[in-house]
Amino acid sequence: ISNGQTNQINHDAFKFLGRGAIAGVPVSLIIMLLLYLFFGYVLRSTHFGRAIFAIGGSPEASRLAGIPINRTLMRVYVICGLLAGFSGLLTASQLALSAPRAATGLELSVIAAVVLGGTSLSGGKGSLLGTLLGVLILRILDNGLILLNVSSFYQDVASGVVLLLAVGFDQLRARRGRKST
């Protein structure tokens, strides 16, 4: 629609979604916390959430236990797509722009936050609370580097080092788990 061009958005109600506040609390923070609470409940307290962890831990065992793997994964992918689209709306609202490349390169930061929060790359282990803590740690690191006036290149290097350390610790944890069984 935009031919890859950035376009300004001048609709106050749309800007409120990303820039507004309710009782001094940013709307985007409220949305994030509500989503964390909702999906935390889904993962901990529903058959669907337990099925996701089971499939992540062992797809074959999940299949043998009668979990419909393809249907569950399709639902997970649909939910991820919807949340990615909603994230795009929030980003556009915060920037008051439709910027097609606004979040380019954030994929590694997301992986780093999730792994730093304790989610295993081999699957079956993790929590939303841990992911939230991983996000907070990375945001504090980024904010500290910005306040110290560190160049963006070295900020990316620091994020990469954190990602490598998190993946390295995850692999060590996985090896220890295999040795103990």
Side-chain angles (χ1 to χ4, degrees):
I1 293 172
S2 69
N3 292 322
Q5 301 299 312
T6 299
N7 297 306
Q8 193 167 15
I9 301 171
N10 289 321
H11 195 277
D12 289 336
F14 183 70
K15 289 182 196 175
F16 179 77
L17 188 63
R19 294 179 173 191
I22 297 173
V25 180
V27 172
S28 56
L29 178 63
I30 294 170
I31 291 170
M32 181 196 76
L33 292 175
L34 289 174
L35 286 171
Y36 265 101
L37 290 172
F38 174 75
F39 284 107
Y41 170 79
V42 168
L43 287 173
R44 275 190 328 272
S45 304
T46 67
H47 177 70
F48 177 66
R50 289 186 296 275
I52 293 169
F53 277 105
I55 292 169
S58 175
E60 183 60 21
S62 300
R63 184 186 65 76
L64 293 172
I67 296 173
I69 294 173
N70 290 336
R71 184 173 50 182
T72 303
L73 290 178
M74 183 59 70
R75 288 178 180 168
V76 169
Y77 291 134
V78 167
I79 291 168
C80 287
L82 290 171
L83 289 173
F86 186 65
S87 296
L89 284 174
L90 280 175
T91 300
S93 176
Q94 288 173 340
L95 299 173
L97 298 170
S98 65
R101 301 188 193 283
T104 302
L106 290 180
E107 300 86 359
L108 289 179
S109 295
V110 170
I111 294 169
V114 170
V115 174
L116 191 61
T119 299
S120 174
L121 288 175
S122 57
K125 295 179 185 172
S127 71
L128 285 181
L129 180 60
T131 299
L132 179 60
L133 292 174
V135 168
L136 289 174
I137 290 168
L138 283 180
R139 291 304 102 208
I140 289 169
L141 173 67
D142 287 347
N143 194 33
L145 293 174
I146 289 168
L147 291 174
L148 291 172
N149 204 22
V150 175
S151 82
S152 62
F153 172 78
Y154 290 111
Q155 291 175 27
D156 291 340
V157 169
S159 293
V161 167
V162 168
L163 175 61
L164 288 173
L165 289 172
V167 170
F169 285 127
D170 178 59
Q171 293 301 309
L172 285 173
R173 190 174 44 218
R175 283 188 192 147
R176 284 187 188 147
R178 283 190 296 253
K179 286 180 182 177
S180 67
T181 57

